[in-house]
Amino acid sequence: MTRTLVFGGARSGKSAYAEKLARESGKEVVYLATAQAGDGEMATRIAHHRLQRPAQWATVEEPLRLGDVILQQARPGRLLLVDCLTLWLTNLMFSTGETYPDVGDIALPERFHSERAHLLYALAEVEETGADLVLVSNEVGMGIVPYGAISRCFTDEAGRLNQAVAAICERAVFVAAGLPLYLKGGPC
């Protein structure tokens, strides 16, 4: 059983690399999709990802209750592929329809905190199930400090989540230009 965080920038090849790991595992794959098609551009992205997946992979779409779904789907001989943690964070941040100020402190919904804590609990507990887990996330903190309080809050929360997930996982792989760089653990 292994837990692997695969992260990188937009269009870095992180999802393709995570899918390669899943294909090469030889295990039954369950794809846990967190995206929601809120507009045409996102619907196009989701459709593109669906076309890339092998037909035999099961797909579970869950924008909010990721920890629950991981615990429900994990079992020996199975690999769970979560794509992606940063979209899931976005879903949680805006799950109550909150409008955030451009400046000042951001108070995230209680559900954000409870679901985040439950995800980290699930990642620790999944070890007992014998399932493998590959989690995809964006690295959003390598550029300039974003304009606007909610953008800065998102960048901070994504960074904190990536650190917490990497600490739990046996492997952490940074992907840039389609090339994997192993930060923790050996090649998958």
Side-chain angles (χ1 to χ4, degrees):
M1 182 270 161
T2 58
R3 295 163 294 191
T4 304
L5 172 63
V6 178
F7 68 110
R11 297 288 180 235
S12 63
K14 62 191 173 297
S15 291
Y17 185 73
E19 290 168 3
K20 176 180 180 275
L21 294 177
R23 273 192 311 277
E24 292 176 354
S25 73
K27 298 185 177 201
E28 174 191 8
V29 176
V30 177
Y31 189 99
L32 305 180
T34 63
Q36 298 182 94
D39 59 26
E41 185 267 339
M42 197 62 189
T44 300
R45 283 178 179 256
I46 292 169
H48 174 75
H49 276 271
R50 284 180 180 148
L51 289 174
Q52 289 181 294
R53 283 181 235 148
Q56 68 269 24
W57 288 6
T59 299
V60 176
E61 296 181 354
E62 179 50 59
L64 299 171
R65 297 179 320 101
L66 188 55
D68 284 344
V69 173
I70 287 172
L71 292 174
Q72 290 166 2
Q73 294 293 326
R75 59 187 59 118
R78 184 177 273 183
L79 183 141
L80 306 180
L81 173 54
V82 177
D83 199 354
C84 83
L85 292 177
T86 40
L87 284 174
W88 174 74
L89 274 182
T90 301
N91 296 341
L92 289 173
M93 289 175 82
F94 293 94
S95 63
T96 60
E98 182 74 24
T99 302
Y100 294 104
D102 290 335
V103 295
D105 292 334
I106 300 295
L108 294 171
E110 177 52 38
R111 184 167 193 181
F112 176 92
H113 301 289
S114 63
E115 291 290 345
R116 183 187 185 282
H118 188 57
L119 172 70
L120 296 176
Y121 167 80
L123 296 183
E125 288 297 306
V126 79
E127 185 174 25
E128 304 303 318
T129 69
D132 287 338
L133 187 58
V134 177
L135 302 118
V136 177
S137 190
N138 285 279
E139 174 52 64
V140 297
M142 294 179 72
I144 61 171
V145 175
Y147 177 80
I150 192 61
S151 297
R152 287 189 299 276
C153 178
F154 172 77
T155 300
D156 292 347
E157 292 299 334
R160 288 182 187 113
L161 181 64
N162 285 345
Q163 288 180 56
V165 171
I168 294 169
C169 289
E170 289 78 23
R171 295 186 180 122
V173 184
F174 181 73
V175 179
L179 302 172
L181 175 64
Y182 301 93
L183 303 179
K184 182 180 179 184
C188 303

